[in-house]
Amino acid sequence: MKKGILHAAPLMLVLTGCGTPEIVRFPADDQSAKLRYVTTAALSDFTYLRRVDRSMCPSSAQSMLIATTGTLEQSQIAMIGSSDVAQALVREFNIPASAPLTFYVAASRYPTYSCDNAGVFQPMPGRQYELRHIVEPVTFVCIVEIDELQQGDDGQVMRRREPSAHYFHPPKKMQDYCQEAPRAN
């Protein structure tokens, strides 16, 4: 079982508000997939998921915020196993599936704990995925897992470990994402 353990973009919509960071949303199209971001962090923890855009490498890499947790939000897209109830630790959104998705996740608990992970996987157009950001409540060790979601014949959600997922320690600087190309197997 693969786990990540701590030790040219399409048209996008940017959501912003007073005092909140910008969150980028991608439209649903024939080159998109759906992603559910789930964390086990406490409601008081700050967690976020960023997409790393490597299209300008080797000169630079940039990141964009695609999810944060902690406030109630109801999913605006239909996914396998979605809830009709607003969630604080679950986010569902479209992602580009035309190239590997490089990501960075982080969690922090004020004032002393933090953990981060990074990874890459190749989403396929029209498919659905779940990225689980597991935060151990006592030691604050973080693990990342990515599964492809499928609907079983009995209506149950089936999870299959995503074989293209590769996890790594996040580089200290964004430019370092360009040094060694993360791979999606």
Side-chain angles (χ1 to χ4, degrees), residues 50-54 100-104 118-121 168 177 182:
R50 299 186 76 85
R51 175 181 181 254
V52 178
D53 182 358
R54 299 181 64 251
L101 177 73
T102 303
F103 64 88
Y104 171 82
V120 62
F121 79 104
F168 52 92
Y177 279 96

Side-chain angles (χ1 to χ4, degrees), residues 62-85:
Q62 297 179 350
S63 73
M64 56 191 73
L65 184 65
I66 59 176
T68 62
T69 61
T71 58
L72 290 176
E73 183 178 299
Q74 189 164 355
S75 178
Q76 300 300 309
I77 65 171
M79 284 190 68
I80 298 168
S82 284
S83 173
D84 293 337
V85 177

Side-chain angles (χ1 to χ4, degrees), residues 39-62:
T39 183
T40 62
L43 279 176
S44 59
D45 294 341
F46 177 72
T47 68
Y48 62 89
L49 170 63
R50 299 186 76 85
R51 175 181 181 254
V52 178
D53 182 358
R54 299 181 64 251
S55 65
M56 300 300 287
C57 286
S59 62
S60 67
Q62 297 179 350

Side-chain angles (χ1 to χ4, degrees), residues 6-183:
L6 179 69
H7 296 254
L11 173 69
M12 55 188 117
L13 172 67
V14 177
L15 304 174
T16 185
C18 183
T20 61
E22 291 184 359
I23 297 175
V24 177
R25 292 289 186 237
F26 297 92
D29 61 26
D30 63 348
Q31 287 300 304
S32 68
K34 294 179 180 181
L35 181 68
R36 176 180 298 134
Y37 171 59
V38 179
T39 183
T40 62
L43 279 176
S44 59
D45 294 341
F46 177 72
T47 68
Y48 62 89
L49 170 63
R50 299 186 76 85
R51 175 181 181 254
V52 178
D53 182 358
R54 299 181 64 251
S55 65
M56 300 300 287
C57 286
S59 62
S60 67
Q62 297 179 350
S63 73
M64 56 191 73
L65 184 65
I66 59 176
T68 62
T69 61
T71 58
L72 290 176
E73 183 178 299
Q74 189 164 355
S75 178
Q76 300 300 309
I77 65 171
M79 284 190 68
I80 298 168
S82 284
S83 173
D84 293 337
V85 177
Q87 304 282 319
L89 300 175
V90 177
R91 298 292 183 258
E92 296 176 338
F93 44 89
N94 296 300
I95 55 171
S98 56
L101 177 73
T102 303
F103 64 88
Y104 171 82
V105 293
S108 62
R109 181 173 296 153
Y110 184 80
T112 57
Y113 295 106
S114 68
C115 61
D116 55 1
N117 301 75
V120 62
F121 79 104
Q122 178 60 65
M124 300 302 291
R127 295 193 183 168
Q128 298 184 30
Y129 300 90
E130 183 173 84
L131 187 154
R132 280 184 311 289
H133 186 202
I134 303 161
V135 180
E136 207 289 322
V138 176
T139 63
F140 219 74
V141 170
C142 293
I143 298 171
V144 175
E145 299 176 336
I146 300 175
D147 290 335
E148 181 180 352
L149 302 176
Q150 296 177 343
Q151 187 90 35
D153 292 336
D154 59 358
Q156 296 294 315
V157 177
M158 295 178 11
R159 290 173 170 78
R160 182 183 64 84
R161 191 71 68 225
E162 174 52 43
S164 72
H166 171 68
Y167 309 99
F168 52 92
H169 291 284
K172 298 216 182 284
K173 299 182 296 188
M174 286 305 299
Q175 180 63 31
D176 292 343
Y177 279 96
C178 292
Q179 301 306 315
E180 181 180 325
R183 66 180 192 269

